Amino acid sequence: MNKVIVKICMGTTCFVMGASDLQELTDIIPEKYGDKVEVYASTCLDLCSSNTESQAPYVTVDDEIVSKATVEKVIDVIDRKLKNGQK
Ligand code: FES
């Protein structure tokens, strides 16, 4: 079974725009999903330069970009991917 891969951008723009609050996902995700989901803190995902800064912070869930990411938004995307049986 493939895992869902979550990357939390910790680049400067995202960090300043609130990614520091997303760090708790590195605790929440393993507790909630065990080994079905892997979570990483990432350096700049190169999304802040191709989009307007106001969309930061960015998180990716597999190939899906979550802009203006919050803990709730990211959990919703993970739940949807797991529920859709994509994994
Ligand atoms: S700092 Fe997050 S995408 Fe660049």
Side-chain angles (χ1 to χ4, degrees):
M1 188 177 77
N2 291 331
K3 295 180 179 190
V4 175
I5 306 293
V6 177
K7 291 184 185 166
I8 304 165
C9 182
M10 287 291 157
T12 308
T13 303
C14 288
F15 196 83
V16 169
M17 296 292 285
S20 54
D21 292 341
L22 301 172
Q23 273 180 310
E24 64 181 296
L25 283 167
T26 59
D27 293 325
I28 294 170
I29 287 175
E31 272 174 32
K32 188 170 162 73
Y33 300 107
D35 60 4
K36 285 193 227 159
V37 182
E38 281 189 24
V39 59
Y40 301 99
S42 172
T43 53
C44 176
L45 294 166
D46 281 334
L47 297 167
C48 56
S49 51
S50 55
N51 294 294
T52 56
E53 282 188 16
S54 62
Q55 299 293 305
Y58 292 101
V59 172
T60 59
V61 182
D62 288 340
D63 53 3
E64 185 166 335
I65 296 166
V66 184
S67 54
K68 292 190 180 173
T70 61
V71 169
E72 292 74 21
K73 263 182 157 176
V74 173
I75 295 287
D76 281 351
V77 175
I78 295 169
D79 281 344
R80 174 162 46 79
K81 286 194 178 279
L82 291 172
K83 197 164 112 201
N84 286 350
Q86 292 176 356
K87 295 290 166 180

